[in-house]
Amino acid sequence: MENGPSPLHVRILVFEDLPGIWTARSLEHDIVAESRSIEMAIQAVLRIMRAHADFDRRHNRAPLSAFRAAPQIYWNAFRGGSLLPWVAQLSHTVAGLAVEVTAAVAAERPHAHFVPRDRVLMESASHLPSVRL
């Protein structure tokens, strides 16, 4: 009996980015999608992965090889998150690509402790002399 390729392991972090808006982020291949429910956000990431894997196969590339891993803060949030056992059933949704899916919900937005970019720009420019027109 012939063995197929080993399955692609996909870890997905889910967090509420805004009230009622859930973000799902794949960790091994940094792909992000948003939706109004956890399940729909995860399904959206898997659909994006499938589309890119199909494209890659048509162009003789390794599936999802164009995507880097997600930044470390998302991996840390995944480790501290609550696993969603029902997500394993979604493994078959990425047709043509053997995938094992694991997902976790983060207790808070992983980037919640970052200072907003516009605030950083304002603070860095605060030392500049003001100009009157």
Side-chain angles (χ1 to χ4, degrees):
M1 184 160 84
E2 190 177 320
N3 291 335
S6 60
L8 179 67
H9 296 281
V10 175
R11 282 173 274 218
I12 298 174
L13 175 68
V14 185
F15 53 94
E16 193 173 24
D17 206 10
L18 296 170
I21 302 295
W22 291 90
T23 297
R25 187 171 202 137
S26 170
L27 301 181
E28 288 81 5
H29 307 281
D30 196 15
I31 297 172
V32 181
E34 292 181 339
S35 190
R36 294 192 184 275
S37 75
I38 292 171
E39 183 173 1
M40 288 171 53
I42 292 170
Q43 290 280 6
V45 164
L46 293 174
R47 281 193 307 274
I48 293 168
M49 291 179 89
R50 177 180 165 193
H52 280 282
D54 287 346
F55 177 88
D56 289 338
R57 270 196 297 275
R58 286 192 309 271
H59 292 86
N60 299 318
R61 295 192 303 217
L64 307 172
S65 58
F67 294 93
R68 294 183 187 181
Q72 188 64 45
I73 60 167
Y74 299 102
W75 289 84
N76 296 345
F78 183 90
R79 279 191 283 282
S82 301
L83 289 177
L84 299 170
W86 56 267
V87 171
Q89 300 170 12
L90 300 176
S91 294
H92 69 280
T93 61
V94 184
L97 186 62
V99 175
E100 291 180 5
V101 182
T102 307
V105 176
E108 64 180 1
R109 286 183 11 223
H111 49 279
H113 302 293
F114 286 141
V115 177
R117 185 171 184 261
D118 57 340
R119 184 172 159 200
V120 171
L121 291 174
M122 287 174 47
E123 289 175 359
S124 64
S126 65
H127 71 280
L128 298 175
S130 59
V131 176
R132 292 184 183 214
L133 299 175

